[in-house]
Amino acid sequence: MVSDDVVAGPTPSATPAPRPEAGRRRAARLLLLLGPGVMVMLADTDAGSVVTAAQSGAQYGYQLVLSQVILIPILYLVQEMTVRLGLVTRQGHGALIRRIFGTKWALLSAVTLFIACVGALITEFAGLAGVGSLVGLPRVVSIGVPAIGLVGLVLAGRYRRVEVVGITIGALELLFIPAAVMARPGAAAVADGLVHPVQFSAPFVTLLAANVGAVIMPWMVFYQQGAVIDKGRRGLGLKQALRSARLDTAVGSVITQIVMISVMVAVAATIGVRNPGAELGDIASIADALTPFLGRTAAVLLFGLGMIGAAVVAALVVALAGAWGMAEVLGWRHSLNDSPKRATGFYVLAVLGTAAGAGLVISWPNLVSLSIDVEVMNACLLPIVLGFLLLLERRALPPELRMTGIRRIGTYLLTGVVIALGLVTVVQTALSAS
């Protein structure tokens, strides 16, 4: 049995009636662990996800909105497994794979993570470059300044500080919600998109795969598992910590999908109506196309600030996820609560990842097509990541903390659909390249 780390209390007959103050204290203690789930979910709606959602709205109107709703429970179930693995084993994802399956499989997971992180960092800085172009800033400034700020924040250390700053900046994504309201989507058109959510064509399947890859990303698994370990239980027993972390993950899952749907609806109600099927050439063109409907100031402020929030928090999470995963596989110290002197390799990986992503984007041409390609790549990598996650859930956790019954069947079915879509995407990508 897994200890709950709590001491048994008095017998029921001796237990006094609960007081309101005690209930408030219990609620406050549960809120202590909120953070890793919200932050990773804000990062989930990253620059590439925003661009993918915008392209979906432009090309297919509201048809892909339903897929975003369906992905909420899938996203929660996937990330909840990482929470249990992290809180119970107190080991990161890469370290667990190495312990359970050996070094070779751990290296495979690390390579998968590395590819996903490089792609993600490129899209985050591409998003920042696009925002810079809206106000006439050169890429060196719009990319360099945030990159330096992120490196400084990481090197300053302390998990709690990083989390507070990340969530504060990431909350700018919520500005996409009023943008969707101001776009005034037609109720009949939205209903038609929900009733007819599928097209049987290669471009539609590719964009659907990109949307799945934009919601469930390999680096999210590594980040949240490492983050719950770094944050610790804060004096809570295991059951309380799990309850708090699950709430954290559920809230974050809903928020990120509301943001994705808002972007899709805002573009579908504007660009999708006036210029259906439009190919978006760059990030600035999305805001320009929204200007006639929202006004220049609203388009730049809402879309620009929302993109800054999405890109910055995601770049921070991705850099840390890559550093956590690689350091775990290599057996290095890997905590933000350690100083750079004690965990040199971990900090070097995080800094190099950030610098590499920023440097590559400065000279990259079409940033929108790059972002969608990265999300398709994520969908291709998902079978490996989800396969490892499901196996670890069965082998690394004690029996009483594993999924059983309907929950296990439902999780396997839902993740199986995602894995199958990823495999189809792999085959489709290989055929199109040949």
Side-chain angles (χ1 to χ4, degrees):
M1 293 292 289
V2 175
S3 171
D4 191 33
D5 299 340
V6 291
V7 178
T11 61
S13 59
T15 302
R19 294 176 298 177
E21 295 82 0
R24 284 194 291 269
R25 283 197 299 270
R26 281 196 297 271
R29 292 183 69 192
L30 287 178
L31 291 174
L32 283 175
L33 289 192
L34 295 184
V38 170
M39 183 160 169
V40 79
M41 297 302 181
L42 288 173
D44 182 30
T45 315
D46 67 345
S49 299
V50 170
V51 171
T52 300
Q55 188 66 64
S56 300
Q59 285 190 240
Y60 296 106
Y62 306 101
Q63 283 188 285
L64 285 161
V65 169
L66 183 60
S67 68
Q68 298 297 327
V69 177
I70 293 173
L71 283 167
I72 293 175
I74 300 177
L75 179 58
Y76 169 78
L77 289 170
V78 168
Q79 293 303 120
E80 190 275 339
M81 281 189 276
T82 72
V83 165
R84 272 184 292 132
L85 287 167
L87 288 175
V88 174
T89 68
R90 303 192 185 187
Q91 286 187 296
H93 196 70
L96 269 183
I97 293 175
R98 187 180 62 179
R99 176 167 70 84
I100 301 295
F101 300 107
T103 303
K104 290 182 180 179
W105 289 109
L107 288 173
L108 173 62
S109 73
V111 169
T112 302
L113 174 66
F114 175 78
I115 294 172
C117 286
V118 169
L121 283 167
I122 289 173
T123 62
E124 311 323 333
F125 287 110
L128 292 173
V131 174
S133 69
L134 289 176
V135 292
L137 289 177
R139 288 191 184 185
V140 173
V141 176
S142 60
I143 294 173
V145 172
I148 292 171
L150 288 173
V151 167
L153 177 61
V154 169
L155 291 178
R158 291 299 168 194
Y159 173 80
R160 182 59 179 168
R161 180 189 295 119
V162 169
E163 180 181 88
V164 170
V165 173
I167 291 177
T168 301
I169 296 175
L172 290 171
E173 294 175 27
L174 299 179
L175 291 172
F176 289 126
I177 298 174
V181 174
M182 293 173 66
R184 298 181 180 178
V190 174
D192 184 67
L194 293 174
V195 173
H196 304 95
V198 176
Q199 287 190 27
F200 297 99
S201 66
F204 184 87
V205 172
T206 298
L207 201 48
L208 174 61
N211 276 273
V212 174
V215 172
I216 303 173
M217 305 190 199
W219 45 263
M220 295 175 64
V221 173
F222 286 84
Y223 177 85
Q224 192 168 1
Q225 194 162 330
V228 296
I229 296 168
D230 248 23
K231 185 157 190 174
R233 294 186 193 171
R234 302 298 175 99
L236 297 178
L238 179 58
K239 288 183 179 179
Q240 289 178 309
L242 284 171
R243 190 180 305 122
S244 177
R246 284 166 175 157
L247 174 63
D248 182 32
T249 304
V251 170
S253 299
V254 173
I255 289 174
T256 186
Q257 292 307 92
I258 288 176
V259 172
M260 282 287 283
I261 291 170
S262 297
V263 174
M264 198 175 291
V265 167
V267 176
T270 53
I271 303 172
V273 172
R274 291 287 181 89
N275 189 14
E279 290 286 344
L280 302 173
D282 55 52
I283 292 172
S285 71
I286 302 174
D288 288 339
L290 291 173
T291 297
F293 306 94
L294 306 182
R296 182 64 182 174
T297 301
V300 171
L301 282 179
L302 297 179
F303 192 84
L305 290 176
M307 181 64 81
I308 288 174
V312 171
V313 69
L316 178 60
V317 166
V318 170
L320 289 174
W324 262 321
M326 294 297 293
E328 288 164 5
V329 170
L330 296 172
W332 297 349
R333 295 186 70 94
H334 50 272
S335 173
L336 279 169
N337 296 319
D338 286 332
S339 67
K341 186 176 181 180
R342 295 191 67 195
T344 304
F346 165 73
Y347 283 98
V348 167
L349 288 170
V351 171
L352 285 179
T354 304
L360 286 170
V361 172
I362 289 178
S363 58
W364 206 284
N366 189 328
L367 300 180
V368 169
S369 63
L370 169 68
S371 298
I372 295 173
D373 289 343
V374 168
E375 306 310 344
V376 173
M377 179 193 70
N378 282 335
C380 294
L381 296 175
L382 278 177
I384 298 173
V385 177
L386 294 181
F388 274 128
L389 186 61
L390 291 172
L391 289 171
L392 285 175
E393 199 272 345
R394 299 306 299 169
R395 297 185 61 175
L397 292 176
E400 62 271 21
L401 288 176
R402 297 173 190 164
M403 294 182 296
T404 57
I406 295 177
R407 183 182 175 190
R408 181 186 178 190
I409 294 172
T411 300
Y412 275 50
L413 286 174
L414 291 172
T415 52
V417 170
V418 175
I419 290 173
L421 181 59
L423 293 174
V424 168
T425 306
V426 171
V427 173
Q428 190 177 60
T429 303
L431 290 175
S432 63
S434 61

XYZ file of all heavy atoms in Angstrom, residues 174-231:
426
model
N -6.090 34.998 -22.500
C -7.535 35.147 -22.300
C -8.108 36.296 -23.119
O -9.335 36.391 -23.283
C -7.827 35.354 -20.810
C -7.391 34.207 -19.878
C -7.701 34.548 -18.429
C -8.071 32.904 -20.269
N -7.241 37.153 -23.669
C -7.706 38.244 -24.520
C -8.286 37.731 -25.837
O -8.996 38.460 -26.531
C -6.557 39.221 -24.800
C -6.073 40.044 -23.597
C -4.823 40.824 -23.958
C -7.176 40.985 -23.109
N -7.977 36.473 -26.189
C -8.581 35.911 -27.393
C -10.094 35.720 -27.222
O -10.827 35.673 -28.207
C -7.940 34.560 -27.730
C -6.533 34.663 -28.242
C -5.504 33.950 -27.641
C -6.239 35.462 -29.323
C -4.211 34.038 -28.117
C -4.936 35.559 -29.810
C -3.912 34.848 -29.208
N -10.553 35.608 -25.991
C -11.983 35.388 -25.739
C -12.813 36.611 -26.144
O -13.784 36.475 -26.902
C -12.227 34.990 -24.267
C -11.496 33.669 -23.962
C -13.722 34.860 -23.985
C -11.543 33.248 -22.499
N -12.471 37.828 -25.684
C -13.237 38.987 -26.172
C -13.095 39.201 -27.678
O -14.013 39.735 -28.312
C -12.658 40.167 -25.383
C -11.371 39.685 -24.814
C -11.527 38.223 -24.628
N -11.965 38.769 -28.270
C -11.819 38.879 -29.724
C -12.878 38.039 -30.424
O -13.469 38.462 -31.429
C -10.418 38.436 -30.143
N -13.141 36.835 -29.885
C -14.169 35.966 -30.476
C -15.561 36.578 -30.325
O -16.393 36.507 -31.243
C -14.125 34.586 -29.818
N -15.822 37.186 -29.184
C -17.131 37.814 -28.957
C -17.321 38.990 -29.905
O -18.390 39.160 -30.516
C -17.252 38.277 -27.492
C -18.555 39.058 -27.284
C -17.202 37.076 -26.551
N -16.281 39.806 -30.073
C -16.362 40.979 -30.934
C -16.517 40.602 -32.412
O -17.019 41.390 -33.210
C -15.116 41.852 -30.756
C -15.010 42.505 -29.387
S -13.428 43.370 -29.163
C -13.597 44.683 -30.380
N -16.081 39.383 -32.784
C -16.220 38.929 -34.168
C -17.663 38.592 -34.526
O -17.987 38.428 -35.699
C -15.327 37.706 -34.399
N -18.537 38.464 -33.538
C -19.967 38.216 -33.708
C -20.254 37.003 -34.603
O -20.820 37.131 -35.695
C -20.656 39.455 -34.283
C -20.561 40.663 -33.374
C -21.261 41.859 -33.966
N -21.165 43.011 -33.082
C -21.668 44.218 -33.367
N -22.294 44.396 -34.531
N -21.529 45.205 -32.524
N -19.872 35.816 -34.148
C -20.139 34.610 -34.943
C -21.638 34.347 -35.058
O -22.392 34.547 -34.102
C -19.447 33.501 -34.142
C -19.406 34.017 -32.738
C -19.226 35.509 -32.863
N -22.075 33.889 -36.223
C -23.483 33.585 -36.420
C -23.856 32.264 -35.778
O -23.177 31.254 -35.976
N -24.937 32.259 -35.020
C -25.354 31.053 -34.305
C -25.663 29.911 -35.271
O -25.304 28.751 -35.025
C -26.573 31.348 -33.431
N -26.305 30.220 -36.386
C -26.659 29.173 -37.351
C -25.410 28.553 -37.974
O -25.333 27.337 -38.159
C -27.559 29.762 -38.444
N -24.424 29.378 -38.287
C -23.186 28.873 -38.882
C -22.413 28.006 -37.893
O -21.855 26.965 -38.260
C -22.319 30.037 -39.351
N -22.381 28.442 -36.628
C -21.699 27.639 -35.600
C -22.392 26.290 -35.451
O -21.736 25.242 -35.400
C -21.686 28.383 -34.246
C -21.120 27.482 -33.156
C -20.862 29.662 -34.348
N -23.717 26.299 -35.391
C -24.474 25.051 -35.249
C -24.232 24.126 -36.429
O -24.081 22.910 -36.266
C -25.967 25.357 -35.120
N -24.177 24.680 -37.637
C -23.928 23.859 -38.823
C -22.546 23.213 -38.760
O -22.379 22.046 -39.126
C -24.043 24.723 -40.084
C -23.901 23.896 -41.352
O -24.788 23.065 -41.624
O -22.871 24.045 -42.046
N -21.546 23.970 -38.278
C -20.205 23.417 -38.140
C -20.140 22.305 -37.109
O -19.401 21.326 -37.278
N -20.932 22.425 -36.046
C -20.961 21.392 -35.010
C -21.682 20.135 -35.492
O -21.328 19.021 -35.110
C -21.645 21.935 -33.755
C -20.905 23.060 -33.011
C -21.765 23.603 -31.875
C -19.572 22.571 -32.464
N -22.688 20.323 -36.339
C -23.454 19.188 -36.850
C -22.706 18.466 -37.963
O -22.831 17.257 -38.134
C -24.839 19.659 -37.352
C -25.582 18.512 -38.032
C -25.670 20.193 -36.182
N -21.900 19.196 -38.728
C -21.127 18.606 -39.831
C -19.630 18.851 -39.586
O -19.014 19.692 -40.243
C -21.543 19.213 -41.173
C -23.007 19.074 -41.459
N -23.916 20.064 -41.170
C -23.716 18.047 -42.003
C -25.134 19.670 -41.522
N -25.036 18.444 -42.031
N -19.055 18.098 -38.613
C -17.685 18.401 -38.190
C -16.578 17.694 -38.974
O -15.410 17.820 -38.618
C -17.690 17.899 -36.737
C -18.610 16.717 -36.771
C -19.667 17.046 -37.801
N -16.931 16.962 -40.025
C -15.924 16.133 -40.696
C -15.979 16.324 -42.200
O -17.064 16.450 -42.788
C -16.125 14.633 -40.365
C -15.128 13.773 -41.138
C -15.986 14.388 -38.871
N -14.790 16.355 -42.819
C -14.663 16.258 -44.268
C -13.694 15.114 -44.570
O -12.704 14.940 -43.854
C -14.116 17.559 -44.877
C -15.107 18.704 -44.897
C -14.580 19.866 -45.725
O -13.796 19.686 -46.639
N -15.039 21.071 -45.379
N -13.980 14.360 -45.588
C -13.109 13.226 -45.932
C -12.168 13.644 -47.055
O -12.344 13.288 -48.211
C -13.951 12.013 -46.322
C -14.806 11.509 -45.201
C -16.148 11.858 -45.119
C -14.263 10.725 -44.209
C -16.941 11.406 -44.073
C -15.043 10.268 -43.154
C -16.385 10.607 -43.085
N -11.183 14.426 -46.676
C -10.176 14.866 -47.630
C -8.830 14.921 -46.932
O -8.761 15.121 -45.714
C -10.523 16.246 -48.200
O -10.468 17.228 -47.179
N -7.753 14.738 -47.702
C -6.409 14.732 -47.119
C -6.073 16.051 -46.423
O -5.528 16.041 -45.305
C -5.376 14.406 -48.194
N -6.378 17.225 -47.017
C -6.075 18.480 -46.318
C -6.810 18.613 -44.988
O -6.243 19.110 -44.007
C -6.529 19.557 -47.321
C -6.473 18.888 -48.649
C -6.868 17.468 -48.386
N -8.075 18.166 -44.946
C -8.830 18.261 -43.700
C -8.230 17.356 -42.629
O -8.066 17.757 -41.472
C -10.299 17.884 -43.927
C -11.161 18.045 -42.699
C -11.746 19.263 -42.415
C -11.377 16.988 -41.833
C -12.542 19.432 -41.273
C -12.166 17.129 -40.695
C -12.747 18.360 -40.418
N -7.885 16.107 -43.011
C -7.290 15.168 -42.053
C -5.953 15.704 -41.549
O -5.626 15.592 -40.359
C -7.113 13.776 -42.691
C -6.320 12.855 -41.766
C -8.477 13.167 -43.001
N -5.174 16.312 -42.441
C -3.890 16.885 -42.033
C -4.088 17.995 -41.019
O -3.384 18.064 -39.999
C -3.127 17.430 -43.256
O -2.855 16.352 -44.155
C -1.812 18.072 -42.827
N -5.074 18.873 -41.257
C -5.319 19.969 -40.324
C -5.935 19.456 -39.026
O -5.656 19.984 -37.947
C -6.227 21.010 -40.971
C -6.193 22.423 -40.368
C -4.763 22.908 -40.186
C -6.982 23.389 -41.226
N -6.745 18.396 -39.108
C -7.268 17.774 -37.895
C -6.127 17.214 -37.065
O -6.087 17.385 -35.836
C -8.254 16.665 -38.256
C -8.793 15.818 -37.089
C -9.555 16.686 -36.096
C -9.680 14.686 -37.608
N -5.181 16.531 -37.730
C -4.014 15.999 -37.024
C -3.198 17.121 -36.400
O -2.691 17.000 -35.268
C -3.143 15.192 -37.991
N -3.078 18.232 -37.131
C -2.355 19.384 -36.588
C -3.043 19.920 -35.338
O -2.377 20.312 -34.368
C -2.253 20.483 -37.642
N -4.377 19.923 -35.315
C -5.109 20.381 -34.133
C -4.906 19.447 -32.950
O -4.791 19.887 -31.811
C -6.597 20.518 -34.455
C -6.943 21.847 -35.092
O -7.196 22.829 -34.407
N -6.927 21.898 -36.420
N -4.871 18.133 -33.228
C -4.589 17.177 -32.147
C -3.170 17.378 -31.643
O -2.915 17.411 -30.429
C -4.790 15.730 -32.639
C -4.348 14.736 -31.563
C -6.253 15.490 -33.002
N -2.229 17.535 -32.577
C -0.843 17.773 -32.187
C -0.648 19.093 -31.482
O 0.298 19.265 -30.704
N -1.560 20.051 -31.731
C -1.486 21.355 -31.073
C -2.050 21.321 -29.664
O -1.850 22.251 -28.886
C -2.236 22.399 -31.899
N -2.787 20.277 -29.323
C -3.423 20.182 -28.003
C -2.687 19.205 -27.084
O -2.520 19.464 -25.896
C -4.905 19.779 -28.155
C -5.531 19.491 -26.800
C -5.679 20.897 -28.847
N -2.252 18.083 -27.624
C -1.528 17.099 -26.820
C -0.102 17.037 -27.345
O 0.143 16.503 -28.428
C -2.193 15.715 -26.903
C -3.656 15.810 -26.462
C -1.452 14.709 -26.035
C -4.445 14.540 -26.670
N 0.827 17.600 -26.602
C 2.201 17.723 -27.070
C 3.147 16.911 -26.185
O 2.966 16.848 -24.965
C 2.623 19.188 -27.079
C 1.689 20.074 -27.882
S 2.358 21.714 -28.099
C 0.877 22.624 -28.507
N 4.185 16.316 -26.781
C 5.100 15.466 -26.011
C 5.743 16.167 -24.824
O 5.881 15.575 -23.745
C 6.151 15.074 -27.067
C 5.424 15.129 -28.367
C 4.471 16.274 -28.236
N 6.126 17.434 -24.996
C 6.834 18.111 -23.909
C 5.952 18.401 -22.695
O 6.450 18.616 -21.594
C 7.470 19.411 -24.404
C 6.624 20.283 -25.262
C 6.622 20.342 -26.629
C 5.661 21.257 -24.832
N 5.706 21.285 -27.064
C 5.117 21.861 -25.989
C 5.215 21.679 -23.577
C 4.143 22.859 -25.932
C 4.238 22.662 -23.511
C 3.717 23.240 -24.676
N 4.616 18.389 -22.889
C 3.720 18.634 -21.760
C 3.848 17.548 -20.702
O 3.795 17.817 -19.495
C 2.275 18.709 -22.252
C 1.976 19.883 -23.160
S 0.288 19.825 -23.809
C -0.657 19.985 -22.284
N 4.001 16.303 -21.165
C 4.116 15.168 -20.241
C 5.361 15.325 -19.369
O 5.311 15.178 -18.144
C 4.162 13.847 -21.029
C 4.464 12.678 -20.105
C 2.845 13.625 -21.768
N 6.478 15.646 -20.014
C 7.736 15.798 -19.274
C 7.665 16.987 -18.324
O 8.143 16.914 -17.194
C 8.900 15.982 -20.253
C 9.306 14.730 -20.965
C 8.655 14.313 -22.109
C 10.361 13.949 -20.487
C 9.023 13.151 -22.778
C 10.742 12.786 -21.144
C 10.068 12.391 -22.285
N 7.056 18.107 -18.773
C 7.026 19.293 -17.926
C 6.187 19.086 -16.675
O 6.646 19.335 -15.553
C 6.477 20.508 -18.689
C 6.390 21.716 -17.772
C 7.492 22.533 -17.566
C 5.226 22.004 -17.057
C 7.438 23.605 -16.683
C 5.157 23.068 -16.182
C 6.265 23.864 -16.007
O 6.208 24.913 -15.105
N 4.936 18.641 -16.830
C 4.066 18.581 -15.658
C 4.553 17.554 -14.641
O 4.444 17.768 -13.438
C 2.613 18.296 -16.051
C 1.646 18.521 -14.884
C 0.193 18.535 -15.304
O -0.138 18.355 -16.476
N -0.698 18.756 -14.351
N 5.119 16.445 -15.128
C 5.622 15.459 -14.180
C 6.810 16.016 -13.392
O 6.919 15.813 -12.191
C 6.031 14.173 -14.919
C 6.253 12.995 -13.974
C 6.211 11.661 -14.709
O 5.518 11.499 -15.717
N 6.949 10.687 -14.210
N 7.680 16.758 -14.079
C 8.800 17.382 -13.379
C 8.353 18.507 -12.472
O 8.897 18.701 -11.379
N 7.334 19.267 -12.911
C 6.881 20.423 -12.141
C 6.232 20.021 -10.815
O 6.468 20.659 -9.787
C 5.902 21.250 -12.971
N 5.401 18.962 -10.821
C 4.759 18.560 -9.565
C 5.801 18.050 -8.570
O 5.610 18.166 -7.351
C 3.655 17.496 -9.787
C 2.525 18.064 -10.620
C 4.208 16.223 -10.419
N 6.895 17.500 -9.084
C 7.968 17.050 -8.193
C 8.697 18.256 -7.615
O 8.969 18.327 -6.415
C 8.948 16.127 -8.942
C 8.240 14.856 -9.381
C 10.161 15.789 -8.070
C 9.041 14.016 -10.360
N 9.047 19.218 -8.476
C 9.754 20.405 -8.015
C 8.925 21.209 -7.027
O 9.450 21.765 -6.064
C 10.125 21.287 -9.207
C 11.630 21.343 -9.444
O 12.325 20.410 -9.003
O 12.110 22.299 -10.080
N 7.616 21.277 -7.269
C 6.752 22.052 -6.376
C 6.571 21.342 -5.045
O 6.478 21.979 -3.994
C 5.392 22.288 -7.036
C 4.487 23.192 -6.202
C 3.435 23.854 -7.039
C 2.712 24.915 -6.226
N 1.766 25.697 -7.047
